[in-house]
């Protein structure tokens, strides 16, 4: 049976709607990550916290591993009310709410503490709420790490070391502009092709967070990992407004409180995952480099200037983040 047809059939039967049995409600949550991922672990904490707060009156059933479709497909299911909750990248949300674009600006956050001070404060909460007109209400942010450069044969300690290096990036204009501004040669490429490309010298390196660096086995063929942390795009826990509006005020309070608690737990899961992956990389002989981030930020400031020209209406948000 065709997968798409099966989804439509199940939806028509109401399987993925908010299921109510007597005085109990079940919210369906779908995402595309494996169950070993620190974000999935955070979602499990959300599930536990909500069940505890509601005394079992409001619970969550989780469908991980892309069981109900891709990230985009599940977002569409939220919009029509067939699935209640999902997790997406803030980059995905920028297709609906332009404000999310600011999180892709390189060197936007000074460090992890600054990042979550912004995300969990007035600026971050305001952006979460702006998705409502697209039937997507943000509940909280999850840590998705920071992307840094890794290279095969040349250590990157300053921006000058990137000169002429072919660095694989996502097919994203801001990422391309960032690498080029630092003197590198940005090379968009499918992620699945990257291991062989590094191994054969088609590219000199790439950029990603530590868990991805290790899970992809790129640490086997990349001798240097430079923790410049140029990009820190968070994940977003979303609830569809069609399901949100079916909840009572008390139930909404339980959901929001449980989400906020899970966000704190998830940050610890991510931290532990990073520590574990960094140990694997260093044990394999990868040299970890802690550079002077300000040098990279200064060299790439043209990316921010271009962003402000393209999105002048977001200048106030950027200024609030920078001045915080």
């Amino acid at each position: 049976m065709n997968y798409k047809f099966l989804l439509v059939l199940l939806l028509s039967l109401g399987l993925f709607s908010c299921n109510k049995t007597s005085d109990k409600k079940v919210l369906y949550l779908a995402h595309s990550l494996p169950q070993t991922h620190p974000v999935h672990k955070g979602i499990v904490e959300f599930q536990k916290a909500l069940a505890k707060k509601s005394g079992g009156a409001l619970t969550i059933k989780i469908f991980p591993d892309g069981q109900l479709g891709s990230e985009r497909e599940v977002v569409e299911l939220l919009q029509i009310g067939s699935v209640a909750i999902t997790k997406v990248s803030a980059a995905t949300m920028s297709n609906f709410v332009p404000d999310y674009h600011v999180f892709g600006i390189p060197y936007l956050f000074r460090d992890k503490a600054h990042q979550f001070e912004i995300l969990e404060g007035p600026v971050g909460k305001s952006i979460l709420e702006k998705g409502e007109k697209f039937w997507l209400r943000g509940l909280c942010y999850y840590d998705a790490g920071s992307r840094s450069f890794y290279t095969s044969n040349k250590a990157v300690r300053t921006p000058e070391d990137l000169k002429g290096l072919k660095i694989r990036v996502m097919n994203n204009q801001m990422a391309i502009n960032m690498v080029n501004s630092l003197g590198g040669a940005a090379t968009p490429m499918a992620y699945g092709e990257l291991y062989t490309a590094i191994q054969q010298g088609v590219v000199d390196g790439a950029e990603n967070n530590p868990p991805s660096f290790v899970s992809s086995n790129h640490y086997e063929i990349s001798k240097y990992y430079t923790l410049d942390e140029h990009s820190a795009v968070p994940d977003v826990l979303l609830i569809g407004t069609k399901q949100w509006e079916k909840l009572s005020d008390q139930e909404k309070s339980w959901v929001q409180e449980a989400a906020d608690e899970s966000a704190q737990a998830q940050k610890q899961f991510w931290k532990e995952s990073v520590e574990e992956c960094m140990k694997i990389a260093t044990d394999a002989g990868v040299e970890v480099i802690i550079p002077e981030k300000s040098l990279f930020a200064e060299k790439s400031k043209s990316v921010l200037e271009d962003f402000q020209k393209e999105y002048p209406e977001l200048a106030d948000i950027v200024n609030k983040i920078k001045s915080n």
Side-chain angles (χ1 to χ4, degrees), residues 149-200:
F149 293 113
Y150 52 89
T151 48
S152 55
N153 295 309
K154 180 182 178 183
V156 174
R157 305 182 192 280
T158 68
E160 286 67 32
D161 294 325
L162 278 167
K163 187 174 182 180
L165 294 186
K166 297 186 292 294
I167 302 296
R168 181 269 176 184
V169 295
M170 297 180 291
N171 191 15
N172 172 280
Q173 195 59 52
M174 196 178 298
I176 292 170
N177 292 347
M178 177 200 65
V179 170
N180 290 341
S181 72
L182 292 171
T187 309
M189 177 184 295
Y191 193 61
E193 301 172 2
L194 184 51
Y195 187 100
T196 301
I198 296 174
Q199 192 175 43
Q200 296 180 350

Side-chain angles (χ1 to χ4, degrees), residues 18-26 56-58 251:
C18 179
N19 185 33
K20 184 174 181 180
T21 305
S22 63
D23 293 328
K24 297 183 179 180
K25 291 182 182 178
V26 180
L58 186 59
E251 289 168 337

Side-chain angles (χ1 to χ4, degrees), residues 85-99:
I85 304 169
T86 192
K87 183 287 310 175
V88 300
S89 169
T92 298
M93 283 303 295
S94 68
N95 295 317
F96 301 95
V97 181
D99 298 43

Side-chain angles (χ1 to χ4, degrees), residues 202-273:
V202 175
V203 295
D204 300 296
E207 44 86 52
N208 217 320
N209 58 54
S212 296
F213 178 52
V214 170
S215 65
S216 62
N217 295 320
H218 293 169
Y219 72 97
E220 298 173 346
I221 51 175
S222 301
K223 299 177 182 178
Y224 307 100
Y225 195 16
T226 303
L227 298 182
D228 68 301
E229 300 178 327
H230 49 260
S231 175
V233 179
D235 280 339
V236 184
L237 189 66
L238 295 174
I239 185 167
T241 57
K242 291 185 181 296
Q243 293 293 343
W244 177 257
E245 290 165 0
K246 292 179 181 179
L247 302 177
S248 68
D249 289 345
Q250 178 62 79
E251 289 168 337
K252 289 177 180 177
S253 178
W254 286 333
V255 169
Q256 187 61 64
E257 289 173 8
D260 290 340
E261 289 181 15
S262 74
Q264 300 309 310
Q266 190 272 336
K267 282 190 284 187
Q268 181 60 31
F269 292 137
W270 188 272
K271 180 174 181 290
E272 292 169 358
S273 177

